Amino acid sequence: MSSFTFLHAADLHLGSPLAGLAAKDAEIAERFAAAGRRAFSDLVTHAIEIRAAFLLIAGDVYDGDWQDLSVGLFFAQQLGRLANAGIPVAIVKGNHDAESVVTRSITLPDNVLNFSAARAETRRLDAHRVALHGRSFAQRAVPDESFARSYPDPVPGWLNIGLLHTSCDGYAAHATYAPCAPAELAARGYDYWALGHVHEYAQVWEDPPIVFPGNLQGRSVRECGPKGAVAVDVADGRIAGLRRIVLDHARWAHAEIDLSGAEDETEALERVGAALRPHAVEAQGRLLALRVSLRGTTPLHDAWAGDRERIAAEVQAAAHRIRDDIWLESLRIGTSRPAQALADRAGLLDPAALLHAIDREPEVRARAEAIIAEIRNKLPGGMSAVDGPDLSEELDALCAEAEALVLARLGGRGC
């Protein structure tokens, strides 16, 4: 058998609405959406440049049903480039682009191998003696069915590769779809498993390699760090090695900044700038969206929590002083006031202590969390599931802001 390289990608989510980001800044949301398309175009270019034997896409090409035909036309155009280069593409449908979800279609080139949703099947690439085994999703939700158990036996003497869109074991942060265990996959006797659905890169089994490539482009602050695909080298009919290919054109990051002891705004903003700089360097010139979380005990707490809009503008300005293409996704003020500020009010009814105690009453928190959850469930698709912060963190931030606003109106006086 000759030596060759194939590419493994998943979770393109073309057409993702990025609703949460769009609500904050429509222009930046459009640039992130364009970054996803550019990432896939670069993957195609890379496949052509290295003369890849084939490309595997393990589900979720699309984010859901198309709003218009442009997303389908873009995908067909890119696959046409691969067809002209003689590179086959094998695709299984995932939960986001299941047969019941995406109702429109555009004819794809002849180099595309699609897998049935009715049953697992084998497609052969004779030129490289490769047997591809896969099954698509018919419905969006298959939380209890293990597709892997029905996959065909390996073809003797061929390189056998399984394509599967699955939550797999050990990824509780991701919704459960077609669950399976890595050991269950390894027992099938295939040489490589090309997985999709989990948006972080992970090799969950060494021999055979069972790999999540992650998505090509992060879509929210929950998807930080480099994103891309995997190149897999084959020599003498065996997997010889694999490596990540970073393809994202925009990046997300979360900066947690300790303001403990910061006595004035100048000092605090200097700490903010120093904490943001490494994220800018790591992004290597890419568009960067940052969530900034402030922590620590500082006399600035009440002033900053009570003037969030101005402070957010100051943090954005600090980011722009580092590089003009860094944007504040959100600001979380989780600081606290010094204990001395409360002690100075000894003998008085302390509104700060009273508010702080109310915030932490279990009944009050339960009612507040229920209200927040109800509001988030009514938001447009994408805003709550992908971009929303953790509910407990969100409530803490809202309580801190409410405390600061009340104290500001009281002029910082005890009662």
Side-chain angles (χ1 to χ4, degrees):
M1 288 184 179
S2 60
S3 298
F4 59 87
T5 298
F6 68 87
L7 300 179
H8 166 204
D11 300 286
L12 281 55
H13 288 279
L14 299 177
S16 177
L18 296 169
L21 187 57
K24 301 180 181 78
D25 192 313
E27 180 183 352
I28 299 302
E30 177 53 37
R31 290 181 64 190
F32 266 88
R37 293 189 292 271
R38 291 176 65 190
F40 183 60
S41 180
D42 284 358
L43 175 64
V44 170
T45 298
H46 184 73
I48 295 170
E49 288 177 346
I50 69 170
R51 299 181 181 181
F54 49 90
L55 168 64
L56 308 178
I57 304 179
D60 285 357
V61 168
Y62 307 116
D63 194 64
D65 207 5
W66 307 346
Q67 297 299 312
D68 55 57
L69 296 175
S70 63
V71 63
L73 283 170
F74 168 77
F75 187 58
Q77 175 199 38
Q78 296 303 315
L79 296 190
R81 294 175 59 201
L82 293 171
N84 291 334
I87 300 174
V89 182
I91 303 171
V92 294
K93 295 179 180 179
N95 56 296
H96 277 265
D97 52 10
E99 289 185 349
S100 65
V101 173
V102 177
T103 60
R104 304 185 188 190
S105 64
I106 288 178
T107 302
L108 298 178
D110 293 339
N111 65 322
V112 178
L113 305 174
N114 286 304
F115 286 83
S116 169
R119 64 187 183 281
E121 59 182 349
T122 300
R123 308 295 296 271
R124 300 191 185 204
L125 299 175
D126 295 334
H128 297 288
R129 291 180 62 81
V130 171
L132 304 175
H133 313 278
R135 180 181 174 182
S136 292
F137 278 40
Q139 306 292 327
R140 182 157 193 157
V142 283
D144 301 319
E145 183 179 358
S146 175
F147 282 2
R149 295 170 189 165
S150 65
Y151 270 49
D153 291 335
V155 177
W158 286 49
L159 185 78
N160 289 268
I161 299 174
L163 284 82
L164 180 61
H165 198 78
T166 175
S167 55
C168 207
D169 283 354
Y171 288 91
H174 295 264
T176 301
Y177 292 99
C180 61
E184 178 184 5
L185 298 181
R188 296 301 305 163
Y190 295 173
D191 299 285
Y192 183 88
W193 277 95
L195 305 186
H197 183 60
V198 173
H199 288 188
E200 295 293 326
Y201 169 81
Q203 182 172 348
V204 299
W205 200 268
E206 293 294 327
D207 187 17
I210 300 176
V211 179
F212 286 106
N215 51 351
L216 289 186
Q217 172 62 57
R219 299 182 301 149
S220 81
V221 74
R222 294 186 181 185
E223 299 176 354
C224 297
K227 299 293 180 179
V230 174
V232 184
D233 298 320
V234 178
D236 299 323
R238 298 180 60 83
I239 303 298
L242 54 91
R243 59 192 181 279
R244 291 190 72 189
I245 307 166
V246 175
L247 296 161
D248 57 340
H249 281 265
R251 198 159 288 179
W252 302 81
H254 186 187
E256 296 199 42
I257 304 168
D258 187 357
L259 296 184
S260 295
E263 296 290 336
D264 58 61
E265 191 165 296
T266 299
E267 179 186 356
L269 290 174
E270 286 176 354
R271 291 195 197 181
V272 169
L276 300 189
R277 193 164 286 108
H279 294 287
V281 172
E282 186 178 354
Q284 297 181 326
R286 294 172 178 83
L287 169 66
L288 177 61
L290 275 169
R291 174 172 293 180
V292 174
S293 295
L294 305 178
R295 300 283 185 264
T297 301
T298 170
L300 297 172
H301 169 76
D302 289 334
W304 278 33
D307 198 4
R308 182 180 298 270
E309 185 175 356
R310 183 185 70 82
I311 298 305
E314 287 284 6
V315 173
Q316 177 64 82
H320 281 165
R321 286 193 291 272
I322 298 170
R323 184 161 59 79
D324 62 2
D325 219 9
I326 304 176
W327 299 92
L328 183 64
E329 180 266 349
S330 64
L331 175 66
R332 311 289 179 189
I333 299 180
T335 53
S336 58
R337 65 184 59 84
Q340 186 61 39
L342 302 180
D344 288 344
R345 296 172 180 170
L348 298 174
L349 176 59
D350 184 359
L354 180 61
L355 289 168
H356 195 69
I358 293 174
D359 291 345
R360 277 146 186 79
E361 283 286 339
E363 184 178 348
V364 172
R365 289 188 69 86
R367 291 173 59 190
E369 287 178 358
I371 293 171
I372 294 171
E374 181 179 358
I375 293 171
R376 286 178 60 173
N377 289 336
K378 293 179 179 179
L379 293 174
M383 290 185 70
S384 60
V386 175
D387 297 310
D390 175 78
L391 192 59
S392 178
E393 178 186 345
E394 188 171 47
L395 181 56
D396 288 341
L398 288 171
C399 288
E401 185 172 1
E403 286 180 26
L405 288 172
V406 171
L407 291 173
R409 293 197 175 190
L410 290 174
R413 299 187 301 271
C415 297

